[in-house]
Amino acid sequence: MLSARSLFQEIVDHDDSFQLFCSIAASGESQGGWENARIAALVPDSMRDLAPKITRHGADEDKHGRIFQALLRRRGLPAVPVPPETDYTMLLEQRGIGLTHEKLRRDEPLTEEDIVVYLAHSRVTEQRAADQMTMLVRHFGDHPDVGRAIRMISHDEDNHLSYCHEELLRLAREGHGRTIHRVLRESALAEIAIYRDVSLAVMDHMGRLLHWPTAKSAVLAAGIRGMYAYERFAGWHRMISLRLPERLGALSGAPTGVPGLA
């Protein structure tokens, strides 16, 4: 019987699939770290109070990248190139979601609207990350090799999501509500399609590495498409709602280290 637990266990147990999984994850987290660091450096003067929180967000993402690289080193495995069709961050940018890397490479201050776009886009992608990590903690939080790393990353992703909710609610009160609603909707609808495509691509690569039978690959692909159909019909709405989080000030203070992992 196929389940999230059995599927991930199979991926973790096989060196080649584990190597690809960690390489994809490390690349995405490191990219997020760079993006947040650049945004923090370019925050407009009117929003400088956000810079420390954005810096903390980026530091957390960098830490996550190092954690996945450390997991590879523990197994004696080098990182491998990320197939373009599995590069979630790159595909989002190609769809015009978030701030472009071209803009972030310039030494020009961002606008207030740019920061609103960044936070709204982050609210959507951090929901995905938090949900994925919650699922992994439920099934693998006590795993001897990856459990500690998963729990730590999950805690950080919950903080990131709380921060996005809190700051977007504040900005909505300050008059940015219309822009926030528009960007949230555009980001969510684009993200669910990209997540489907990336999931299909990742499962295709895993299937070849693990020599899955055609029937198993077909069932997994059908499940991914079924989830997309649900999200496209109704599920995407939960990715654009805003509520006051329990963790207020979640990104205040210095980032936590990871002794023994990264």
Side-chain angles (χ1 to χ4, degrees), residues 116-165:
V116 171
V117 167
Y118 147 72
L119 282 168
H121 161 252
S122 295
R123 185 263 176 271
V124 171
T125 56
E126 293 298 338
Q127 182 73 61
R128 180 72 70 188
D131 288 349
Q132 286 182 314
M133 296 312 300
T134 296
M135 181 271 293
L136 288 176
V137 167
R138 183 166 63 249
H139 295 301
F140 284 89
D142 59 352
H143 191 280
D145 295 328
V146 301
R148 184 180 174 215
I150 287 171
R151 293 194 306 273
M152 193 162 293
I153 294 172
S154 181
H155 175 79
D156 288 346
E157 299 298 2
D158 287 344
N159 280 343
H160 300 166
L161 186 57
S162 294
Y163 145 76
C164 291
H165 277 279

Short mmCIF file of all heavy atoms in Angstrom, two decimals, residues 116-165:
data_model
loop_
_atom_site.label_atom_id
_atom_site.label_comp_id
_atom_site.label_asym_id
_atom_site.label_seq_id
_atom_site.Cartn_x
_atom_site.Cartn_y
_atom_site.Cartn_z
N VAL A 116 5.64 44.45 -0.31
CA VAL A 116 4.32 43.83 -0.18
C VAL A 116 4.25 42.58 -1.06
O VAL A 116 3.75 41.53 -0.65
CB VAL A 116 3.21 44.83 -0.55
CG1 VAL A 116 1.85 44.13 -0.62
CG2 VAL A 116 3.16 45.97 0.46
N VAL A 117 4.76 42.69 -2.29
CA VAL A 117 4.78 41.54 -3.20
C VAL A 117 5.61 40.40 -2.61
O VAL A 117 5.19 39.23 -2.63
CB VAL A 117 5.33 41.95 -4.59
CG1 VAL A 117 5.65 40.73 -5.44
CG2 VAL A 117 4.34 42.86 -5.30
N TYR A 118 6.77 40.73 -2.08
CA TYR A 118 7.64 39.72 -1.46
C TYR A 118 6.93 39.00 -0.32
O TYR A 118 6.95 37.76 -0.23
CB TYR A 118 8.92 40.39 -0.97
CG TYR A 118 9.53 39.78 0.27
CD1 TYR A 118 10.16 38.54 0.23
CD2 TYR A 118 9.47 40.45 1.49
CE1 TYR A 118 10.71 37.98 1.39
CE2 TYR A 118 10.02 39.90 2.64
CZ TYR A 118 10.63 38.67 2.59
OH TYR A 118 11.16 38.12 3.72
N LEU A 119 6.28 39.75 0.56
CA LEU A 119 5.63 39.14 1.71
C LEU A 119 4.42 38.30 1.31
O LEU A 119 4.18 37.22 1.86
CB LEU A 119 5.21 40.22 2.71
CG LEU A 119 6.33 40.78 3.59
CD1 LEU A 119 5.87 42.03 4.31
CD2 LEU A 119 6.80 39.74 4.60
N ALA A 120 3.65 38.78 0.32
CA ALA A 120 2.48 38.02 -0.13
C ALA A 120 2.91 36.73 -0.81
O ALA A 120 2.32 35.66 -0.58
CB ALA A 120 1.63 38.88 -1.07
N HIS A 121 3.93 36.81 -1.64
CA HIS A 121 4.46 35.61 -2.29
C HIS A 121 5.00 34.64 -1.24
O HIS A 121 4.76 33.43 -1.30
CB HIS A 121 5.57 36.04 -3.27
CG HIS A 121 6.51 34.95 -3.66
ND1 HIS A 121 7.80 34.90 -3.22
CD2 HIS A 121 6.35 33.87 -4.46
CE1 HIS A 121 8.40 33.82 -3.72
NE2 HIS A 121 7.55 33.19 -4.48
N SER A 122 5.69 35.17 -0.23
CA SER A 122 6.25 34.33 0.82
C SER A 122 5.15 33.66 1.63
O SER A 122 5.29 32.51 2.05
CB SER A 122 7.15 35.14 1.74
OG SER A 122 8.28 35.63 1.06
N ARG A 123 4.04 34.37 1.86
CA ARG A 123 2.95 33.78 2.62
C ARG A 123 2.46 32.48 1.95
O ARG A 123 2.13 31.50 2.60
CB ARG A 123 1.80 34.77 2.76
CG ARG A 123 0.64 34.30 3.65
CD ARG A 123 -0.47 33.70 2.78
NE ARG A 123 -1.56 33.14 3.56
CZ ARG A 123 -1.62 31.89 3.98
NH1 ARG A 123 -0.61 31.04 3.75
NH2 ARG A 123 -2.67 31.44 4.63
N VAL A 124 2.41 32.50 0.60
CA VAL A 124 1.95 31.33 -0.14
C VAL A 124 2.99 30.22 -0.10
O VAL A 124 2.67 29.06 0.21
CB VAL A 124 1.63 31.72 -1.60
CG1 VAL A 124 1.36 30.48 -2.46
CG2 VAL A 124 0.43 32.67 -1.65
N THR A 125 4.23 30.52 -0.41
CA THR A 125 5.26 29.48 -0.47
C THR A 125 5.60 28.94 0.93
O THR A 125 5.91 27.76 1.07
CB THR A 125 6.53 29.98 -1.16
OG1 THR A 125 7.01 31.17 -0.50
CG2 THR A 125 6.25 30.32 -2.62
N GLU A 126 5.51 29.79 1.96
CA GLU A 126 5.78 29.30 3.31
C GLU A 126 4.64 28.41 3.80
O GLU A 126 4.88 27.52 4.62
CB GLU A 126 5.99 30.48 4.27
CG GLU A 126 7.26 31.28 4.02
CD GLU A 126 8.53 30.47 4.18
OE1 GLU A 126 8.51 29.43 4.87
OE2 GLU A 126 9.56 30.87 3.61
N GLN A 127 3.43 28.63 3.32
CA GLN A 127 2.35 27.70 3.65
C GLN A 127 2.67 26.31 3.13
O GLN A 127 2.50 25.30 3.82
CB GLN A 127 1.03 28.19 3.05
CG GLN A 127 -0.17 27.31 3.38
CD GLN A 127 -0.60 27.46 4.82
OE1 GLN A 127 -0.97 28.55 5.25
NE2 GLN A 127 -0.55 26.37 5.58
N ARG A 128 3.14 26.26 1.89
CA ARG A 128 3.51 24.97 1.30
C ARG A 128 4.62 24.32 2.11
O ARG A 128 4.57 23.13 2.43
CB ARG A 128 3.95 25.17 -0.16
CG ARG A 128 4.34 23.89 -0.86
CD ARG A 128 3.13 23.03 -1.17
NE ARG A 128 2.31 23.63 -2.22
CZ ARG A 128 1.12 23.16 -2.58
NH1 ARG A 128 0.60 22.10 -1.97
NH2 ARG A 128 0.42 23.77 -3.53
N ALA A 129 5.66 25.11 2.43
CA ALA A 129 6.80 24.56 3.17
C ALA A 129 6.37 24.07 4.55
O ALA A 129 6.77 22.98 4.99
CB ALA A 129 7.89 25.61 3.29
N ALA A 130 5.55 24.86 5.24
CA ALA A 130 5.11 24.47 6.58
C ALA A 130 4.27 23.20 6.53
O ALA A 130 4.43 22.31 7.37
CB ALA A 130 4.32 25.62 7.22
N ASP A 131 3.39 23.10 5.54
CA ASP A 131 2.55 21.90 5.42
C ASP A 131 3.39 20.66 5.14
O ASP A 131 3.16 19.59 5.71
CB ASP A 131 1.52 22.09 4.29
CG ASP A 131 0.43 23.08 4.65
OD1 ASP A 131 0.33 23.47 5.83
OD2 ASP A 131 -0.32 23.48 3.74
N GLN A 132 4.37 20.81 4.24
CA GLN A 132 5.23 19.66 3.91
C GLN A 132 6.02 19.20 5.13
O GLN A 132 6.13 18.00 5.40
CB GLN A 132 6.19 20.05 2.79
CG GLN A 132 5.54 20.15 1.43
CD GLN A 132 6.57 20.47 0.35
OE1 GLN A 132 7.41 21.36 0.52
NE2 GLN A 132 6.52 19.76 -0.74
N MET A 133 6.57 20.16 5.88
CA MET A 133 7.38 19.79 7.04
C MET A 133 6.52 19.20 8.15
O MET A 133 6.95 18.28 8.86
CB MET A 133 8.17 21.00 7.55
CG MET A 133 9.20 21.54 6.56
SD MET A 133 10.26 20.27 5.81
CE MET A 133 11.03 19.56 7.26
N THR A 134 5.30 19.70 8.31
CA THR A 134 4.39 19.12 9.31
C THR A 134 4.12 17.65 8.98
O THR A 134 4.11 16.78 9.87
CB THR A 134 3.07 19.90 9.34
OG1 THR A 134 3.32 21.24 9.79
CG2 THR A 134 2.07 19.23 10.29
N MET A 135 3.92 17.37 7.69
CA MET A 135 3.69 15.99 7.26
C MET A 135 4.92 15.12 7.54
O MET A 135 4.81 14.01 8.05
CB MET A 135 3.34 15.95 5.77
CG MET A 135 3.05 14.57 5.21
SD MET A 135 4.55 13.73 4.59
CE MET A 135 4.94 14.77 3.17
N LEU A 136 6.11 15.64 7.25
CA LEU A 136 7.32 14.87 7.48
C LEU A 136 7.57 14.64 8.97
O LEU A 136 8.01 13.56 9.37
CB LEU A 136 8.52 15.57 6.84
CG LEU A 136 8.58 15.53 5.31
CD1 LEU A 136 9.76 16.34 4.80
CD2 LEU A 136 8.67 14.09 4.80
N VAL A 137 7.29 15.65 9.79
CA VAL A 137 7.45 15.48 11.23
C VAL A 137 6.49 14.41 11.74
O VAL A 137 6.87 13.57 12.59
CB VAL A 137 7.21 16.82 11.97
CG1 VAL A 137 7.06 16.57 13.48
CG2 VAL A 137 8.35 17.78 11.72
N ARG A 138 5.27 14.40 11.24
CA ARG A 138 4.29 13.41 11.68
C ARG A 138 4.78 11.99 11.40
O ARG A 138 4.63 11.08 12.23
CB ARG A 138 2.96 13.66 10.97
CG ARG A 138 1.84 12.73 11.44
CD ARG A 138 0.48 13.22 10.98
NE ARG A 138 0.35 13.24 9.54
CZ ARG A 138 0.26 14.35 8.79
NH1 ARG A 138 0.32 15.54 9.36
NH2 ARG A 138 0.13 14.28 7.48
N HIS A 139 5.40 11.79 10.25
CA HIS A 139 5.82 10.44 9.87
C HIS A 139 7.28 10.13 10.22
O HIS A 139 7.62 8.95 10.42
CB HIS A 139 5.63 10.24 8.37
CG HIS A 139 4.19 10.29 7.94
ND1 HIS A 139 3.24 9.44 8.44
CD2 HIS A 139 3.54 11.10 7.06
CE1 HIS A 139 2.06 9.69 7.89
NE2 HIS A 139 2.22 10.70 7.06
N PHE A 140 8.14 11.16 10.29
CA PHE A 140 9.58 10.90 10.44
C PHE A 140 10.25 11.74 11.51
O PHE A 140 11.48 11.83 11.54
CB PHE A 140 10.29 11.13 9.09
CG PHE A 140 10.06 10.02 8.12
CD1 PHE A 140 8.97 10.07 7.26
CD2 PHE A 140 10.89 8.92 8.07
CE1 PHE A 140 8.74 9.03 6.36
CE2 PHE A 140 10.66 7.88 7.19
CZ PHE A 140 9.58 7.93 6.33
N GLY A 141 9.45 12.37 12.38
CA GLY A 141 10.05 13.21 13.42
C GLY A 141 10.96 12.44 14.36
O GLY A 141 11.85 13.04 14.98
N ASP A 142 10.76 11.13 14.47
CA ASP A 142 11.62 10.32 15.35
C ASP A 142 12.62 9.48 14.58
O ASP A 142 13.25 8.58 15.15
CB ASP A 142 10.74 9.41 16.21
CG ASP A 142 9.87 8.46 15.38
OD1 ASP A 142 9.84 8.62 14.14
OD2 ASP A 142 9.21 7.58 15.97
N HIS A 143 12.81 9.76 13.29
CA HIS A 143 13.76 8.99 12.48
C HIS A 143 15.18 9.24 12.98
O HIS A 143 15.57 10.40 13.21
CB HIS A 143 13.63 9.40 11.01
CG HIS A 143 14.36 8.50 10.06
ND1 HIS A 143 15.72 8.59 9.84
CD2 HIS A 143 13.92 7.48 9.27
CE1 HIS A 143 16.08 7.68 8.96
NE2 HIS A 143 15.02 6.99 8.60
N PRO A 144 15.99 8.20 13.14
CA PRO A 144 17.33 8.39 13.71
C PRO A 144 18.27 9.24 12.86
O PRO A 144 19.18 9.88 13.40
CB PRO A 144 17.86 6.95 13.85
CG PRO A 144 17.05 6.14 12.89
CD PRO A 144 15.70 6.78 12.87
N ASP A 145 18.07 9.27 11.55
CA ASP A 145 18.99 10.01 10.68
C ASP A 145 18.48 11.42 10.35
O ASP A 145 19.27 12.37 10.34
CB ASP A 145 19.21 9.24 9.38
CG ASP A 145 19.92 7.91 9.60
OD1 ASP A 145 20.74 7.85 10.54
OD2 ASP A 145 19.64 6.95 8.87
N VAL A 146 17.20 11.56 10.06
CA VAL A 146 16.69 12.85 9.57
C VAL A 146 15.69 13.51 10.52
O VAL A 146 15.29 14.64 10.30
CB VAL A 146 16.05 12.69 8.18
CG1 VAL A 146 17.05 12.15 7.18
CG2 VAL A 146 14.81 11.80 8.24
N GLY A 147 15.30 12.82 11.60
CA GLY A 147 14.25 13.34 12.46
C GLY A 147 14.56 14.69 13.08
O GLY A 147 13.73 15.62 13.05
N ARG A 148 15.76 14.84 13.63
CA ARG A 148 16.11 16.11 14.29
C ARG A 148 16.12 17.26 13.29
O ARG A 148 15.61 18.35 13.58
CB ARG A 148 17.48 15.98 14.95
CG ARG A 148 17.88 17.21 15.74
CD ARG A 148 19.24 17.04 16.39
NE ARG A 148 19.67 18.27 17.02
CZ ARG A 148 20.93 18.68 17.06
NH1 ARG A 148 21.88 17.95 16.52
NH2 ARG A 148 21.24 19.81 17.66
N ALA A 149 16.66 17.02 12.12
CA ALA A 149 16.71 18.06 11.10
C ALA A 149 15.30 18.47 10.67
O ALA A 149 15.00 19.66 10.53
CB ALA A 149 17.50 17.56 9.88
N ILE A 150 14.43 17.49 10.48
CA ILE A 150 13.07 17.77 10.05
C ILE A 150 12.32 18.59 11.10
O ILE A 150 11.62 19.56 10.79
CB ILE A 150 12.33 16.45 9.76
CG1 ILE A 150 12.84 15.85 8.44
CG2 ILE A 150 10.82 16.67 9.68
CD1 ILE A 150 12.32 14.44 8.19
N ARG A 151 12.48 18.23 12.37
CA ARG A 151 11.79 18.97 13.44
C ARG A 151 12.26 20.42 13.51
O ARG A 151 11.46 21.34 13.69
CB ARG A 151 12.01 18.27 14.79
CG ARG A 151 11.36 16.90 14.91
CD ARG A 151 11.33 16.45 16.37
NE ARG A 151 12.63 16.47 17.01
CZ ARG A 151 13.52 15.47 16.98
NH1 ARG A 151 13.24 14.35 16.31
NH2 ARG A 151 14.67 15.57 17.61
N MET A 152 13.57 20.62 13.35
CA MET A 152 14.12 21.97 13.43
C MET A 152 13.65 22.83 12.26
O MET A 152 13.24 23.99 12.44
CB MET A 152 15.65 21.89 13.45
CG MET A 152 16.32 23.18 13.84
SD MET A 152 18.03 22.89 14.33
CE MET A 152 17.78 21.95 15.84
N ILE A 153 13.67 22.27 11.07
CA ILE A 153 13.23 23.02 9.90
C ILE A 153 11.74 23.32 9.99
O ILE A 153 11.28 24.42 9.66
CB ILE A 153 13.57 22.25 8.61
CG1 ILE A 153 15.09 22.16 8.44
CG2 ILE A 153 12.94 22.93 7.39
CD1 ILE A 153 15.54 21.25 7.31
N SER A 154 10.96 22.36 10.46
CA SER A 154 9.52 22.56 10.60
C SER A 154 9.22 23.72 11.56
O SER A 154 8.35 24.56 11.29
CB SER A 154 8.85 21.28 11.11
OG SER A 154 7.46 21.45 11.22
N HIS A 155 9.94 23.79 12.66
CA HIS A 155 9.76 24.89 13.61
C HIS A 155 10.03 26.23 12.94
O HIS A 155 9.27 27.20 13.10
CB HIS A 155 10.69 24.69 14.80
CG HIS A 155 10.67 25.82 15.79
ND1 HIS A 155 9.68 25.99 16.72
CD2 HIS A 155 11.52 26.85 15.97
CE1 HIS A 155 9.90 27.08 17.43
NE2 HIS A 155 11.02 27.61 17.00
N ASP A 156 11.11 26.29 12.17
CA ASP A 156 11.45 27.54 11.48
C ASP A 156 10.38 27.90 10.45
O ASP A 156 10.02 29.09 10.32
CB ASP A 156 12.80 27.40 10.78
CG ASP A 156 13.97 27.38 11.75
OD1 ASP A 156 13.78 27.74 12.93
OD2 ASP A 156 15.08 26.99 11.32
N GLU A 157 9.90 26.92 9.69
CA GLU A 157 8.90 27.23 8.66
C GLU A 157 7.62 27.75 9.29
O GLU A 157 6.96 28.64 8.74
CB GLU A 157 8.62 25.99 7.81
CG GLU A 157 9.81 25.41 7.04
CD GLU A 157 10.41 26.36 6.02
OE1 GLU A 157 9.94 27.52 5.88
OE2 GLU A 157 11.36 25.95 5.33
N ASP A 158 7.24 27.21 10.44
CA ASP A 158 6.07 27.75 11.16
C ASP A 158 6.30 29.20 11.56
O ASP A 158 5.39 30.04 11.48
CB ASP A 158 5.78 26.90 12.40
CG ASP A 158 5.19 25.54 12.06
OD1 ASP A 158 4.72 25.36 10.91
OD2 ASP A 158 5.20 24.66 12.94
N ASN A 159 7.52 29.51 11.99
CA ASN A 159 7.85 30.90 12.32
C ASN A 159 7.75 31.81 11.11
O ASN A 159 7.24 32.93 11.18
CB ASN A 159 9.26 30.98 12.91
CG ASN A 159 9.32 30.60 14.37
OD1 ASN A 159 8.30 30.56 15.06
ND2 ASN A 159 10.52 30.31 14.85
N HIS A 160 8.26 31.33 9.97
CA HIS A 160 8.23 32.13 8.76
C HIS A 160 6.79 32.43 8.35
O HIS A 160 6.46 33.55 7.93
CB HIS A 160 8.95 31.42 7.61
CG HIS A 160 10.38 31.14 7.89
ND1 HIS A 160 11.15 30.27 7.13
CD2 HIS A 160 11.21 31.61 8.86
CE1 HIS A 160 12.37 30.24 7.61
NE2 HIS A 160 12.44 31.04 8.66
N LEU A 161 5.93 31.43 8.44
CA LEU A 161 4.53 31.62 8.07
C LEU A 161 3.85 32.61 9.03
O LEU A 161 3.09 33.48 8.59
CB LEU A 161 3.81 30.27 8.08
CG LEU A 161 2.36 30.26 7.58
CD1 LEU A 161 2.26 30.80 6.16
CD2 LEU A 161 1.80 28.84 7.64
N SER A 162 4.14 32.50 10.31
CA SER A 162 3.58 33.43 11.29
C SER A 162 4.01 34.86 10.98
O SER A 162 3.20 35.80 11.05
CB SER A 162 4.02 33.04 12.71
OG SER A 162 3.48 31.80 13.09
N TYR A 163 5.27 35.02 10.67
CA TYR A 163 5.81 36.35 10.33
C TYR A 163 5.10 36.95 9.12
O TYR A 163 4.73 38.13 9.13
CB TYR A 163 7.32 36.19 10.10
CG TYR A 163 7.97 37.04 9.05
CD1 TYR A 163 8.23 38.39 9.27
CD2 TYR A 163 8.39 36.46 7.84
CE1 TYR A 163 8.87 39.15 8.30
CE2 TYR A 163 9.04 37.21 6.88
CZ TYR A 163 9.27 38.55 7.10
OH TYR A 163 9.91 39.30 6.15
N CYS A 164 4.86 36.14 8.10
CA CYS A 164 4.17 36.64 6.90
C CYS A 164 2.75 37.08 7.24
O CYS A 164 2.30 38.15 6.81
CB CYS A 164 4.14 35.57 5.81
SG CYS A 164 5.74 35.20 5.08
N HIS A 165 2.02 36.28 8.01
CA HIS A 165 0.67 36.66 8.42
C HIS A 165 0.69 37.97 9.19
O HIS A 165 -0.10 38.89 8.89
CB HIS A 165 0.07 35.56 9.32
CG HIS A 165 -0.53 34.42 8.58
ND1 HIS A 165 -1.80 34.46 8.05
CD2 HIS A 165 -0.06 33.19 8.29
CE1 HIS A 165 -2.08 33.30 7.47
NE2 HIS A 165 -1.03 32.51 7.60
#
